[in-house]
Amino acid sequence: MAKLSYLLIPLILLMLSCKDEKKVTIVSKKNVVEQTAKRQMPELTPPPEKPEPKLSKAEIAKNRKIFDYHIVAASYNYQKQADDFKNKLYEKGYPAIVLEKNGKFRVILQSFNNKESAIKELKRLRKLNKRPDLWLLRQ
């Protein structure tokens, strides 16, 4: 058994040492253009285009005002602050709107007629965005 292992060790070492040799091309000043021309470049894929929203901002705002329950992302004292935050959310894919009530400008993410649906979506958004400060407003 010992003789067999002594024979297997050199055989394994011999097999491991027989690897494919890699070609190394030496680049000099004379052949740099030629080697660059032979190099294969990966194809660049264009970035995906953002789909246009089906409804305009005005249509979303008009439709949301008729709902009773709203998921609020933020509340501000000034219209400009609310609009700035709304635009940031819109760039991230949330069609947010600003509702004014009692001198407060609230940035609304989604609106619902059904309280259960609103609470379910509120919990989902809190978990998804890791934002515990989202809250529900009843109009």
Side-chain angles (χ1 to χ4, degrees):
M1 188 70 173
K3 290 182 181 180
L4 183 61
S5 64
Y6 286 125
L7 290 175
L8 286 177
I9 292 174
L11 182 62
I12 292 173
L13 290 174
L14 181 65
M15 291 175 71
L16 290 175
S17 65
C18 294
K19 292 184 179 177
D20 291 337
E21 292 184 24
K22 294 183 180 179
K23 275 189 168 180
V24 177
T25 304
I26 299 173
V27 179
S28 66
K29 290 182 181 180
K30 294 178 182 178
N31 68 351
V32 81
V33 174
E34 180 184 325
Q35 293 300 322
T36 305
K38 288 182 182 178
R39 187 176 67 186
Q40 293 181 353
M41 296 295 291
E43 291 184 28
L44 298 176
T45 57
E49 294 181 16
K50 290 185 178 180
E52 290 295 321
K54 294 179 182 175
L55 298 174
S56 68
K57 290 181 182 182
E59 290 172 330
I60 292 171
K62 180 183 173 188
N63 291 335
R64 286 215 179 141
K65 289 180 182 178
I66 62 172
F67 292 112
D68 295 329
Y69 299 95
H70 306 284
I71 297 177
V72 181
S75 181
Y76 294 101
N77 292 327
Y78 301 104
Q79 176 81 37
K80 182 172 178 3
Q81 292 174 324
D83 287 336
D84 290 343
F85 187 67
K86 176 191 77 160
N87 292 335
K88 285 181 186 177
L89 288 175
Y90 197 79
E91 288 172 2
K92 291 182 180 180
Y94 293 103
I97 64 164
V98 176
L99 289 180
E100 191 271 329
K101 186 175 181 181
N102 300 333
K104 296 283 186 182
F105 298 93
R106 291 176 174 141
V107 181
I108 307 296
L109 286 178
Q110 290 185 353
S111 301
F112 300 89
N113 273 334
N114 186 339
K115 183 177 181 180
E116 291 78 27
S117 299
I119 291 173
K120 184 178 178 182
E121 183 65 14
L122 176 66
K123 289 178 182 178
R124 188 187 76 79
L125 285 174
R126 281 180 177 169
K127 186 177 182 181
L128 178 70
N129 296 317
K130 298 176 184 167
R131 297 278 315 253
D133 56 344
L134 297 176
W135 53 280
L136 194 63
L137 171 69
R138 181 167 187 230
Q139 189 170 332

